[in-house]
């Protein structure tokens, strides 16, 4: 007999590997405590993975597969038990992307025969195809995205971009309006399996961060498909224009909340994109959503595969300050940070602009260690995996790779946050002030960053205007701003 190993982020009935399982073969699934302890993962992330694994194992048994499911301290303990009972001639597995797991698999392969299967349809591209599609540097997501649209015939008419444009990003940046409401996302009540997992996590991982209840994420394919249907039928229309907006006490807005289900395999990116493209939602909304998955998701994974393992250590700006404790409890009087961190603590999630333009912006301007920042993202988000966190945080949010992934650092002053949210109305700091006592800290720190790196960005097409703006200011004004920035850094936790 042969063993077929399925990991906790490969919970798809469409795995190519399953086509090779015969009647006397055994599927192995391991709920390993030590794997969960690699990092101090948010409690809700642990609940999602363990519950989804248990549900998936039950579904496989219902389909007639033999499943050897282990709750073990480590993968090795589980395999020792499995080998003592089954003694498989070979171990089949679906290719993994996360480099730490790949290293462990290589070590495991020194002792056992391993046979790798493709990870499509968990992604559109295999790892080698992803690297090949990147091509030679400089890499650009827009070019990658156009190639993907053409290759997979997505939103095309007669081979050209539907609607005459490859990107409708300019239509999807509307600030929030007074009285703006959104159709609610579907939330799920924990069943007996999930309730049991919640008890386990609360007991075994009591020192892990985050709140554990209410837990409302989909943990089965059926629930994930219902969440997808709710999104494309009722929420996709308003996702597009307001995807960059932020609202107090409304962290979900019209965001899909599907990334966790996609990243554990409950939904495939193919079916999600097909569902979005089949709706009557405005083209700008559909294209904006498609770009996140077919463009951004595949591009981030491709960059990760191409640059690991060295990529995890990038630190172009030599930022070394420690990540402050407010990232774990949202206890801060900077309201945009409080409102962006609160849903992470409560539900292990917030949307991409909160991640990029508030939290990432803070980490860059406050000169926080990129590695501490990416570790926090990896631990705290329900949809986080090494392959998506490192390029998204180190490359896109922090520009710590010096521009290999993105052309500019995504930094902003308090004026941007004020324009794209209602956060500043409830804040003690004034986004219109720079050096005054109540000035928003982001303002002076923004110009401090420009000052420190003006030579680097003076010829950057997307940054040089701001560099020239800074260079043209009066020396006394610049000195006051830099003094305010230094004081802000000194006073910050």
């Amino acid at each position: 007999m042969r063993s077929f190993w399925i990991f906790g982020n490969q919970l798809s009935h469409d795995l190519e590997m399953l086509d090779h399982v015969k009647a006397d073969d055994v599927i192995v699934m391991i709920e390993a405590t030590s794997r969960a302890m690699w990092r101090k993962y948010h409690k809700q992330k642990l609940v999602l993975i363990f519950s989804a694994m248990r549900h998936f194992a039950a579904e496989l048994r219902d389909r007639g597969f033999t499943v050897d499911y282990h709750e073990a301290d480590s993968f090795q303990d589980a395999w020792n038990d499995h080998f003592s009972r089954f003694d498989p001639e070979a171990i089949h597995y679906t290719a993994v992307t996360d480099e730490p797991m790949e290293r462990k698999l290589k070590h495991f392969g020194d002792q056992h025969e391993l046979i790798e299967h493709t990870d499509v349809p968990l992604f559109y591209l295999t790892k080698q195809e992803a690297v090949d599609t990147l091509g030679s540097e400089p890499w650009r997501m827009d070019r990658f995205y156009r190639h993907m649209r053409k290759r997979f015939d997505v939103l095309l008419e007669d081979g050209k971009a539907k609607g005459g444009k490859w990107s409708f990003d300019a239509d999807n940046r509307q600030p929030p309006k007074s009285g703006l409401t959104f159709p609610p996302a579907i939330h799920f009540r924990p069943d007996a399996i999930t309730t049991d997992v919640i008890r386990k996590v609360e007991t075994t991982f009591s020192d892990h961060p985050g709140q554990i209840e209410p837990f409302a994420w989909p943990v089965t394919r059926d629930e994930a498909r219902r969440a997808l249907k709710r999104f494309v039928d009722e929420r996709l229309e308003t996702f597009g224009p307001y995807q960059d907006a932020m609202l107090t006490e409304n962290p979900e807005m019209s965001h899909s909340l599907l990334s966790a289900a996609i990243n554990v395999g409950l939904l495939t990116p193919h079916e999600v994109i097909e569902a979005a493209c089949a709706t009557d939602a405005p083209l700008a909304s559909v294209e904006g959503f498609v770009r996140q998955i077919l463009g951004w998701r595949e591009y981030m994974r491709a960059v990760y595969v191409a640059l690991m393992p060295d990529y995890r250590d990038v630190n172009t700006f030599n930022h070394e300050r420690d990540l402050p404790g407010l990232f774990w409890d949202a206890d801060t009087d900077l309201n945009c940070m409080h409102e962006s961190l609160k849903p992470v603590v409560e539900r292990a999630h917030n949307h991409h602009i909160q991640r990029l333009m508030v939290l990432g912006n803070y980490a860059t301007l406050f000169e926080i260690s990129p590695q501490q920042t990416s570790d926090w993202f990896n631990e705290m988000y329900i949809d986080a995996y090494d392959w998506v966190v490192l390029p998204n945080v180190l490359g896109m949010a922090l520009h710590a790779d010096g521009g290999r992934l993105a052309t500019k650092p995504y930094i902003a002053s308090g004026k941007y946050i004020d324009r794209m949210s209602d956060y500043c109305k409830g804040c003690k700091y004034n986004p219109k002030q720079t050096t005054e006592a109540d000035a928003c800290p982001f303002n002076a720190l923004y110009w401090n960053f420009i000052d420190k790196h003006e030579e680097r960005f003076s010829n950057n097409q997307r940054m040089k205007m701001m560099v020239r703006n800074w260079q043209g200011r009066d020396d006394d004004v610049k000195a006051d701003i830099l003094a305010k920035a230094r004081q802000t850094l000194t006073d910050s936790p």
Side-chain angles (χ1 to χ4, degrees), residues 31 39 47 65 156 248 310 317 337 375 459 470:
E31 189 180 307
R39 297 182 182 274
V47 173
F65 293 108
L156 298 182
T248 301
D310 295 339
F317 303 125
M337 289 292 290
D375 284 349
N459 293 317
W470 174 250

Side-chain angles (χ1 to χ4, degrees), residues 260-277:
I262 298 170
N263 287 353
V264 299
L266 299 180
L267 296 171
T268 69
H270 301 72
E271 69 180 314
V272 172
I273 286 179
E274 288 175 0
C277 291

Side-chain angles (χ1 to χ4, degrees), residues 37-50:
M37 295 294 283
W38 284 5
R39 297 182 182 274
K40 275 202 168 183
Y41 293 116
H42 194 294
K43 291 174 182 175
Q44 294 215 9
K45 182 174 183 178
L46 296 179
V47 173
L48 169 71
I49 295 173
F50 293 160

Side-chain angles (χ1 to χ4, degrees), residues 169-197:
D169 191 40
D171 299 325
N172 292 335
R173 299 176 181 172
Q174 294 187 31
K177 298 183 295 187
S178 178
L180 191 62
T181 60
F182 300 93
I186 187 170
H187 292 169
F188 299 93
R189 182 175 298 176
D191 62 6
I193 291 176
T194 302
T195 300
D196 185 58
V197 171

Side-chain angles (χ1 to χ4, degrees), residues 413-433:
S413 68
K415 293 178 182 178
Y416 170 86
I417 297 171
D418 188 31
R419 183 171 70 253
M420 296 307 299
S421 76
D422 63 356
Y423 295 161
C424 298
K425 295 176 182 177
C427 188
K428 65 178 285 187
Y429 300 104
N430 188 339
K432 296 179 174 60
Q433 304 292 350

Side-chain angles (χ1 to χ4, degrees), residues 130-158:
V131 174
D132 291 343
T133 301
L134 273 180
S136 58
E137 296 188 65
W139 300 323
R140 293 295 175 260
M141 201 283 278
D142 286 346
R143 184 170 63 240
F144 183 94
Y145 172 53
R146 292 187 187 195
H147 173 88
M148 295 292 286
R149 289 265 298 273
K150 293 174 183 177
R151 174 171 175 175
F152 294 100
D153 192 20
V154 176
L155 293 180
L156 298 182
E157 289 179 339
D158 299 323

Side-chain angles (χ1 to χ4, degrees), residues 356-425:
L356 180 66
M357 299 307 300
V358 179
L359 304 184
N361 189 33
Y362 181 101
T364 301
L365 298 184
F366 278 83
E367 302 177 353
I368 307 298
S369 158
Q371 283 64 47
Q372 290 189 32
T373 306
S374 62
D375 284 349
W376 178 84
F377 272 86
N378 229 328
E379 293 165 6
M380 291 295 287
Y381 281 90
I382 199 157
D383 53 4
Y385 290 90
D386 209 53
W387 66 266
V388 68
V389 165
L390 295 192
N392 193 41
V393 174
L394 299 179
M396 189 170 186
L398 307 183
H399 207 71
D401 64 357
R404 299 187 76 177
L405 183 148
T407 56
K408 69 179 289 289
Y410 281 85
I411 55 171
S413 68
K415 293 178 182 178
Y416 170 86
I417 297 171
D418 188 31
R419 183 171 70 253
M420 296 307 299
S421 76
D422 63 356
Y423 295 161
C424 298
K425 295 176 182 177

Side-chain angles (χ1 to χ4, degrees), residues 31-102:
E31 189 180 307
T33 300
S34 63
R35 173 64 177 94
M37 295 294 283
W38 284 5
R39 297 182 182 274
K40 275 202 168 183
Y41 293 116
H42 194 294
K43 291 174 182 175
Q44 294 215 9
K45 182 174 183 178
L46 296 179
V47 173
L48 169 71
I49 295 173
F50 293 160
S51 178
M53 286 179 67
R54 294 184 188 187
H55 281 95
F56 189 69
E59 293 169 3
L60 289 174
R61 292 189 181 105
D62 288 343
R63 291 179 57 189
F65 293 108
T66 300
V67 180
D68 186 25
Y69 193 97
H70 291 259
E71 289 186 61
D73 180 63
S74 68
F75 287 144
Q76 192 60 58
D77 288 348
W79 276 107
N80 289 342
D81 177 72
H82 180 79
F83 272 99
S84 70
R85 291 184 294 116
F86 294 98
D87 191 25
E89 62 189 54
I91 300 169
H92 292 246
Y93 72 99
T94 295
V96 299
T97 295
D98 280 5
E99 192 267 341
M101 190 65 216
E102 192 168 37

